[in-house]
Amino acid sequence: MKNLWAPWRMTYILGEDEQSKNKSCIFCVDQGQERPDKDRLILYVGRLTMVMMNRYPYNNCHMLVAPRRHVPDLSVLTGEEMTDLLGKVRNTIDILRRDARPDGFNVGLNLGRVAGAGVESHLHFHVVPRWNGDTNFMTVFDDVRVVPEHLEASFDRLAPYFSNMEDAS
């Protein structure tokens, strides 16, 4: 028998994640923070929008794109915020197409806890790259996902792409 070793999941299961202890919202960044943050897996921080990697991904390179302003719903966004947010979703997809070369994407927005929102108070899009054959029996048998690359390796590979991203004008 072989073991699937994923010790990083225990902090999530037990609710002991350092990030959740230190900040009430994983998406909120301090005023003036305009640079990536590898510890928080934040690849891009713009004037209106930020992009980060999902610490508990459904698949390799699972990204989260959120407005900087702490808002729970699309109806609260200004037109400029909406344009910038959707533009950053598009930019993130373009970057992942170049770097990870997926066969497709799941792009989604969960509004409210019953819809699956893990952080319902701060609106965010999920951008999940998909490859032919990337599903397997693990999720069916034990609610486990196999992510083939370490988050830090993905962060280091993707960071240069996001350093050139610009705010919407």
Side-chain angles (χ1 to χ4, degrees):
M1 176 180 285
K2 294 182 180 180
N3 292 320
L4 178 61
W5 182 248
W8 56 270
R9 295 265 319 153
M10 241 9 241
T11 55
Y12 173 70
I13 292 166
L14 297 175
E16 297 173 355
D17 186 276
E18 279 303 311
Q19 189 171 332
S20 62
K21 283 182 191 177
N22 296 332
K23 250 191 183 320
S24 59
C25 178
I26 65 169
F27 299 105
C28 288
V29 292
D30 296 330
Q31 202 63 2
Q33 180 181 345
E34 305 295 331
R35 57 181 163 49
D37 182 344
K38 189 172 182 176
D39 290 337
R40 292 183 58 198
L41 299 175
I42 297 172
L43 286 159
Y44 170 81
V45 181
R47 186 173 60 86
L48 300 172
T49 307
M50 54 92 63
V51 180
M52 70 188 302
M53 298 175 65
N54 191 330
R55 189 169 299 279
Y56 307 105
Y58 296 141
N59 216 345
N60 202 49
C61 297
H62 179 167
M63 310 297 281
L64 303 170
V65 183
R68 288 218 29 193
R69 196 161 59 97
H70 189 92
V71 297
D73 197 85
L74 290 167
S75 63
V76 184
L77 294 175
T78 66
E80 186 181 20
E81 287 172 321
M82 180 75 81
T83 299
D84 195 62
L85 181 63
L86 198 51
K88 294 306 180 284
V89 169
R90 182 187 60 208
N91 293 149
T92 299
I93 290 169
D94 291 345
I95 287 168
L96 291 173
R97 275 195 178 119
R98 273 184 301 208
D99 181 77
R101 296 184 177 88
D103 298 309
F105 291 90
N106 290 117
V107 178
L109 174 65
N110 303 327
L111 295 174
R113 185 152 312 277
V114 299
V119 181
E120 61 184 311
S121 65
H122 198 135
L123 171 77
H124 58 282
F125 278 89
H126 291 257
V127 178
V128 183
R130 302 299 306 270
W131 293 267
N132 287 322
D134 68 5
T135 58
N136 63 47
F137 67 92
M138 295 299 290
T139 304
V140 174
F141 284 128
D142 201 22
D143 197 27
V144 172
R145 291 181 175 84
V146 178
V147 179
E149 182 176 49
H150 194 282
L151 288 171
E152 289 183 8
S154 297
F155 184 95
D156 290 341
R157 197 181 70 252
L158 293 169
Y161 293 103
F162 283 90
S163 68
N164 298 323
M165 192 180 291
E166 296 178 11
D167 281 326
S169 43

